[in-house]
Amino acid sequence: RKRQRYVEKDGKCNVQHGNVRETYRYLTDIFTTLVDLKWRFSLLVFIMAYAVTWLFFGLIWWFIAYCRGDLDHLEDHAWTPCVNNLNGFVSAFLFSIETETTIGYGHRVITDKCPEGIVLLLLQAILGSMVNAFMVGCMFVKISQPNKRAETLVFSSHAVVSLRDDRLCLMFRVGDLRDSHIVEASIRAKLIKSKQTQEGEFIPLDQTDLSVGFETGDDRLFLVSPLIISHEIDERSPFWDVSRHQLEKDDFEIVVILEGMVEATGMTCQARSSYLADEVLWGHRFTPVLSLEEGFYEVDYGGFHQTVPVPTPACSARQLAAAAARRDAHLYWSIPSRLDQP
């Protein structure tokens, strides 16, 4: 049975929230709710916010004109209406738009003989400014979100396990397709695997950190050219007892997260990907993609995902370390001590 991904290859999280009863929490954070909406719904809310406001105040302007009798004295030049040249609901609606958007065509204008109209004008001007600030702010934040910047951050299609400096390492490759760099880039990796505790508690999708250089600072990347991220399989690694045969039967997911600031905007960007157990190749190594040309370095992204098989022990890292320790001990005892020589 194919494992259900926790995080898709494109970074989308495969989690849906159901039976959420406290939906009022979304309204208390209405700004973030509007920003997180899909574009079609955001545009609908944007249009409706202005249309409803214009219609609401247009109706009030028409109601004031109707109550004062302005509509009954349209041809009476001696009558001073609340709004000049307002002769129906359509003209009241247009005057509402002119007032809120500060267009001011000059044909319709409020007079000084209408105190209720002056109060309404102030209210609409203030409320219109608030609506403009809120809706334009939402659209600006939504447009400037750095989510699309993550589309040009690529991860290798497979992870590999092979020897590096006589130690088993789990490796994957990351790259940036743009010339503008990701500033303060950092990488993290987590192992997603269900487990059962000694007390019998079952923990689905338990998350375990995979060290990719946090102690040494190697997790801080200078992502100018593609880099191979390495997780050394030592006694602290969850893969310490995993051999090649066990890896083929195991069921887990490795989630990798790349974060940094977009150089052009200074906004934080995050790119995610994942590797299932069958996407981890034992005994493979990534092919080089960087070459030195005349005056510059060239990256060939055509071989970004390519790997080549290399000789790699099929045993676990624990067994490999034990064999190395026995070999070192044998060499130590086989060499005669200088003190015993005459």
Side-chain angles (χ1 to χ4, degrees), residues 96-238:
S96 175
I97 296 177
E98 294 176 24
T99 301
E100 190 165 330
T101 57
T102 65
I103 294 177
Y105 288 117
H107 182 64
R108 300 177 185 87
V109 61
I110 191 172
T111 62
D112 56 358
K113 303 297 183 181
C114 183
E116 62 271 24
I118 296 175
V119 173
L120 181 61
L121 181 67
L122 294 175
L123 290 177
Q124 186 172 4
I126 295 173
L127 183 62
S129 299
M130 295 173 62
V131 172
N132 285 333
F134 187 81
M135 298 309 301
V136 172
C138 286
M139 297 303 293
F140 175 78
V141 171
K142 190 171 183 64
I143 292 173
S144 60
Q145 278 184 316
N147 295 342
K148 294 301 179 182
R149 179 63 176 90
E151 299 292 335
T152 52
L153 297 173
V154 292
F155 297 87
S156 57
S157 58
H158 291 82
V160 299
V161 176
S162 62
L163 289 176
R164 175 176 279 192
D165 295 330
D166 290 332
R167 296 176 180 270
L168 276 179
C169 295
L170 172 71
M171 294 170 285
F172 56 92
R173 183 149 58 186
V174 297
D176 187 2
L177 302 180
R178 287 190 180 274
D179 292 332
S180 60
H181 308 309
I182 296 294
V183 183
E184 294 292 333
S186 62
I187 191 77
R188 290 181 292 147
K190 286 185 174 293
L191 175 67
I192 309 296
K193 184 179 180 181
S194 300
K195 76 170 187 177
Q196 189 170 8
T197 64
Q198 297 179 359
E199 294 77 15
E201 178 188 4
F202 179 73
I203 304 178
L205 303 178
D206 180 62
Q207 299 184 13
T208 305
D209 280 328
L210 297 179
S211 175
V212 288
F214 177 78
E215 297 84 358
T216 60
D218 291 338
D219 61 328
R220 314 295 293 184
L221 308 180
F222 183 50
L223 196 58
V224 178
S225 61
L227 300 175
I228 297 177
I229 310 302
S230 175
H231 163 67
E232 182 179 329
I233 304 178
D234 53 16
E235 59 275 4
R236 297 174 297 175
S237 172

Side-chain angles (χ1 to χ4, degrees), residues 213-272:
F214 177 78
E215 297 84 358
T216 60
D218 291 338
D219 61 328
R220 314 295 293 184
L221 308 180
F222 183 50
L223 196 58
V224 178
S225 61
L227 300 175
I228 297 177
I229 310 302
S230 175
H231 163 67
E232 182 179 329
I233 304 178
D234 53 16
E235 59 275 4
R236 297 174 297 175
S237 172
F239 297 105
W240 178 240
D241 294 312
V242 177
S243 63
R244 179 173 184 172
H245 180 67
Q246 291 172 320
L247 180 68
E248 295 173 352
K249 300 186 300 180
D250 211 341
D251 187 16
F252 61 84
E253 182 175 355
I254 300 173
V255 177
V256 293
I257 305 168
L258 175 63
E259 291 180 330
M261 290 190 302
V262 181
E263 187 179 35
T265 63
M267 301 185 70
T268 302
C269 172
Q270 184 181 96
R272 298 180 295 266

Side-chain angles (χ1 to χ4, degrees), residues 29-39 42 137-143 145:
D29 188 17
I30 187 65
F31 186 84
T32 306
T33 301
L34 293 178
V35 172
D36 289 341
L37 288 176
K38 295 182 179 180
W39 266 108
S42 295
C138 286
M139 297 303 293
F140 175 78
V141 171
K142 190 171 183 64
I143 292 173
Q145 278 184 316

